């Protein structure tokens, strides 16, 4: 049967990184493809892959200081710098607030610095209807920092691991900044949403009674960083344009490896865990990698069949650390693609955003004759078709198994929304073409042997 969704080539997890070519982008300047990628590169396809020695300041941000002195604003601002400058506003905004320029007092920061409504929302952070878009507006675009900091507090991680709250905040600000706010979908709000969903899953009885603080710590960090520095295009795009990340990671889980290594770079740079033993820090880095790499959607069938056989055999034992970590991988996978399991109002917004990102990629592929990736052609695709295929082949199977593992009210709620949302998209589809096909043919044509290059839908 066409299990279909093999979204790209996927194989061996490459765990090692060379330190070459960091920050550099290698193309042949005569090549049109390269031309675009250089443009894209400016939009921040920049690597932190060789983080061993790379420092944050080495990125081509505009120097912070020019904002403070009018006389220096003359610094020539090319068109391309303007774009950086614009995104830098956000950096500046969050920096003042979070980096201590106003000398935040860690004991009262949650009380004084958040506006009342955002704080009020955080009291319901474990609610499945949590509106992350509203929360992001109320925090002035700082949802990822605010939410994750709050969850660290709530789970007692700051105390348990003796974390320095200023370092924690700085780490989270760096994480938030390294998401691309210009991506319609893969931005810091998506990361905040996934982190919120992960928190909901961690609270499920089966998990909450067996998880250690260490597990919770890794889960939240992995959720917050799982798409770090996402370029807004998918792996096939990076491969066909010879992006250096594709070379670096040998065409395998290219984005996920990059997210992970970027996260590790920020962890080290922040010194958040500098007080822990080297052994523990290394263990943390590798376990965060296991979690983030599990979000590679092209690996979904492997994870799903493992999950299914455990459930069939009934042999999952959450006292066993390996089993716990496997379940956390499944939980993060669920959190990553849970959009269709939210209420229609939230779910619909996510659908529009992800489609916008796909179509944007398709437009570029057309313009530069790169061959339009499946699901990326705005001429032939619709949001409804894409969503119905996504739900049928990816989301329903995953959440079906999750509900077998954790048969709770939350799981029933999620399946309920999933069913309703699918019905709504089918209604839209019927209106649009009168045919009422079940799913996008792009999904059905996929054959797992051929492994078509597919966009990542997470
Ligand atoms: C932090 O704020 C609390 C409450 O406003 C205050 O009692 C405490 O003295 C402050 N600590 C510092 C170091 O300023
Ligand atoms: C990655 O894919 C490209 C395009 O298919 C191919 O040319 C290249 O050799 C591949 N690299 C590796 C390491 O497999
Ligand atoms: Zn994601």
């Amino acid at each position: 049967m066409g299990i279909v969704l093999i979204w790209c080539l996927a194989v061996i997890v490459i765990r090692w990184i060379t330190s070459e070519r960091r920050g550099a982008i290698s193309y042949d300047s005569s090549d049109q493809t390269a031309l675009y990628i250089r443009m894209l590169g400016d939009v921040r396809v920049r690597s932190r892959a060789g983080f061993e020695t790379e420092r944050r300041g080495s990125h081509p941000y505009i120097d912070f200081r020019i904002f403070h002195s009018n006389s220096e604003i003359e610094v020539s601002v090319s068109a391309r710098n303007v774009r950086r400058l614009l995104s830098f506003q956000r950096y500046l905004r969050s920096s003042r607030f979070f980096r201590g320029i106003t000398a935040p007092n860690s004991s009262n920061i949650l009380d004084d610095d958040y506006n009342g409504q955002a704080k009020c929302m955080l009291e319901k952070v474990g609610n499945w209807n949590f509106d992350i878009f509203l929360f992001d507006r109320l925090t002035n675009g700082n949802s990822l920092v605010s939410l994750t900091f709050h969850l660290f507090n709530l789970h007692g991680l700051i105390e348990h691991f003796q974390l320095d709250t200023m370092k924690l905040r700085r780490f989270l600000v760096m994480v938030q900044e390294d998401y691309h706010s210009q991506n319609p979908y893969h931005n810091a709000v998506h990361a905040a949403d996934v982190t919120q969903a992960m928190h909901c899953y961690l609270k499920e009885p089966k998990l909450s009674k067996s998880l250690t603080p260490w597990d919770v710590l890794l889960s939240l960090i992995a959720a917050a960083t799982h798409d770090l520095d996402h370029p807004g295009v998918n792996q096939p795009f990076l491969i066909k344009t010879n992006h250096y990340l594709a070379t670096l990671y040998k065409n395998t889980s290219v984005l996920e490896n990059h997210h992970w290594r970027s996260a590790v770079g920020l962890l080290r740079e922040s010194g958040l865990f500098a007080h822990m033993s080297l052994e523990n820090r290394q263990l943390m880095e590798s376990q965060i990698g296991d979690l983030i790499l599990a979000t590679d959607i092209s690996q979904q069938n492997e994870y799903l069949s493992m999950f299914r056989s455990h459930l069939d055999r009934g042999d999952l034992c959450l006292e066993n650390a390996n089993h716990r970590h496997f379940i956390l991988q499944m939980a993060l996978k669920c959190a990553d693609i849970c959009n269709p399991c939210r209420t229609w109002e939230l779910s619909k917004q996510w659908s529009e955003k992800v489609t916008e990102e796909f179509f944007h990629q398709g437009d570029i592929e057309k313009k530069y004759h790169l061959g339009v990736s499946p699901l990326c052609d705005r001429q032939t695709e619709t949001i409804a078709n894409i969503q119905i295929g996504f739900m049928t082949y990816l989301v329903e199977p995953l959440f079906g198994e999750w509900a077998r593992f954790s048969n709770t009210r939350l799981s029933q709620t999620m399946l309920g929304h999933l069913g309703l949302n699918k019905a709504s998209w089918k209604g839209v589809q019927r209106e649009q073409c009168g045919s009422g096909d079940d799913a996008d043919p792009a999904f059905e044509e996929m054959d797992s042997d051929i492994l078509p290059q597919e966009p990542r839908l997470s």
Side-chain angles (χ1 to χ4, degrees):
M1 51 174 206
I3 292 281
V4 166
L5 22 133
I6 303 302
W7 291 73
C8 24
L9 296 168
V11 223
I12 302 158
V13 168
I14 303 293
R15 285 303 182 63
W16 191 242
I17 305 215
T18 65
S19 58
E20 67 196 71
R21 300 220 55 86
R22 84 184 53 112
I25 299 184
S26 55
Y27 329 93
D28 186 341
S29 56
S30 63
D31 181 343
Q32 265 224 314
T33 302
L35 177 73
Y36 169 73
I37 289 290
R38 268 197 308 280
M39 288 156 49
L40 190 73
D42 279 346
V43 185
R44 289 172 65 188
V45 182
R46 58 181 208 268
S47 165
R48 207 184 302 287
F51 47 75
E52 290 282 7
T53 56
E54 188 176 12
R55 296 212 27 199
R56 236 184 123 63
S58 66
H59 299 302
Y61 279 126
I62 287 192
D63 193 320
F64 194 83
R65 282 160 300 187
I66 70 171
F67 289 92
H68 297 301
S69 152
N70 283 335
S71 63
E72 282 172 48
I73 284 199
E74 326 281 334
V75 177
S76 77
V77 181
S78 68
R80 147 188 129 169
N81 282 345
V82 167
R83 196 165 45 213
R84 287 182 189 140
L85 189 143
L86 290 176
S87 67
F88 209 70
Q89 300 295 345
R90 180 185 177 124
Y91 171 69
L92 193 65
R93 189 176 61 217
S94 52
S95 303
R96 278 213 205 93
F97 181 64
F98 291 112
R99 285 195 161 153
I101 294 167
T102 55
N105 173 335
S106 60
S107 69
N108 68 5
I109 192 153
L110 283 172
D111 296 329
D112 294 349
D113 286 326
Y114 287 76
N115 98 30
Q117 293 180 73
K119 194 187 149 212
C120 191
M121 280 191 80
L122 283 177
E123 280 164 23
K124 297 188 176 166
V125 70
N127 190 324
W128 190 246
N129 296 332
F130 190 85
D131 184 342
I132 196 71
F133 299 111
L134 175 60
F135 185 69
D136 194 61
R137 288 194 294 277
L138 293 175
T139 55
N140 205 18
N142 289 297
S143 54
L144 183 56
V145 175
S146 311
L147 185 115
T148 314
F149 190 92
H150 178 76
L151 291 178
F152 266 64
N153 225 353
L154 194 63
H155 286 277
L157 300 176
I158 295 176
E159 203 166 68
H160 190 274
F161 292 101
Q162 310 222 304
L163 302 180
D164 175 333
T165 52
M166 282 314 296
K167 282 185 184 168
L168 173 59
R169 201 165 280 283
R170 244 179 258 125
F171 168 68
L172 295 175
V173 169
M174 290 193 289
V175 169
Q176 182 177 274
E177 281 169 0
D178 282 3
Y179 280 93
H180 301 199
S181 56
Q182 62 273 61
N183 287 348
Y185 185 84
H186 287 106
N187 53 43
V189 186
H190 165 63
D193 182 54
V194 171
T195 307
Q196 192 270 336
M198 194 67 182
H199 166 66
C200 294
Y201 301 153
L202 298 179
K203 289 195 312 141
E204 289 284 75
K206 268 197 177 167
L207 284 174
S208 71
K209 67 170 191 261
S210 49
L211 294 181
T212 65
W214 177 259
D215 299 329
V216 175
L217 178 72
L218 297 185
S219 302
L220 294 179
I221 294 176
T225 60
H226 84 281
D227 273 328
L228 199 56
D229 204 27
H230 196 294
V233 292
N234 60 15
Q235 168 171 299
F237 187 96
L238 297 178
I239 292 174
K240 68 188 169 189
T241 54
N242 301 316
H243 194 277
Y244 79 98
L245 286 176
T247 313
L248 184 59
Y249 298 115
K250 305 199 167 47
N251 299 348
T252 304
S253 296
V254 172
L255 285 165
E256 294 74 18
N257 272 295
H258 180 59
H259 305 319
W260 168 41
R261 302 315 307 199
S262 301
V264 169
L266 293 188
L267 278 171
R268 292 186 190 176
E269 188 176 333
S270 69
L272 183 57
F273 299 108
H275 59 295
M276 282 187 187
S277 70
L278 179 63
E279 204 182 10
N280 278 339
R281 275 180 281 149
Q282 284 171 343
L283 183 65
M284 170 182 291
E285 290 176 3
S286 104
Q287 291 187 342
I288 287 174
D290 292 337
L291 289 169
I292 294 179
L293 289 166
T295 64
D296 181 348
I297 206 81
S298 69
Q299 300 282 310
Q300 163 116 336
N301 284 344
E302 284 75 3
Y303 282 96
L304 201 55
S305 56
M306 244 188 293
F307 196 25
R308 199 171 277 142
S309 9
H310 275 305
L311 294 171
D312 290 346
R313 293 194 302 264
D315 67 355
L316 280 168
C317 165
L318 296 191
E319 274 89 68
N320 176 328
N322 291 333
H323 285 193
R324 268 197 328 270
H325 290 154
F326 175 65
I327 290 303
L328 291 175
Q329 288 177 316
M330 297 312 297
L332 184 58
K333 288 175 64 55
C334 288
D336 195 24
I337 63 168
C338 74
N339 294 163
C341 302
R342 301 279 193 177
T343 62
W344 171 251
E345 289 70 31
L346 296 172
S347 179
K348 179 166 170 284
Q349 294 182 67
W350 290 120
S351 306
E352 289 163 356
K353 286 168 192 293
V354 81
T355 310
E356 192 187 335
E357 198 167 297
F358 288 175
F359 287 175
H360 181 245
Q361 176 177 328
D363 293 345
I364 295 157
E365 290 168 334
K366 267 181 215 166
K367 188 167 175 192
Y368 294 98
H369 309 289
L370 294 168
V372 180
S373 299
L375 310 185
C376 293
D377 191 339
R378 66 173 78 241
Q379 246 65 57
T380 60
E381 295 291 344
T382 65
I383 300 189
N385 289 351
I386 294 174
Q387 285 304 311
I388 291 166
F390 177 49
M391 290 176 178
T392 306
Y393 298 114
L394 288 170
V395 186
E396 285 173 356
L398 180 60
F399 282 84
E401 298 303 324
W402 180 261
R404 278 177 75 199
F405 166 70
S406 176
N407 192 1
T408 60
R409 218 174 111 189
L410 173 60
S411 292
Q412 294 313 317
T413 301
M414 295 193 296
L415 289 175
H417 288 309
L418 184 56
L420 290 171
N421 292 335
K422 189 169 169 181
S424 298
W425 286 121
K426 284 193 170 175
V428 172
Q429 198 181 45
R430 271 191 299 274
E431 268 172 36
Q432 282 170 343
C433 63
S435 80
D437 276 348
D438 248 13
D440 192 296
F443 286 89
E444 284 165 1
E445 283 160 14
M446 279 184 234
D447 176 335
S448 55
D449 294 333
I450 298 169
L451 297 176
Q453 308 278 293
E454 276 295 304
R456 193 167 166 267
L457 270 165
S458 54

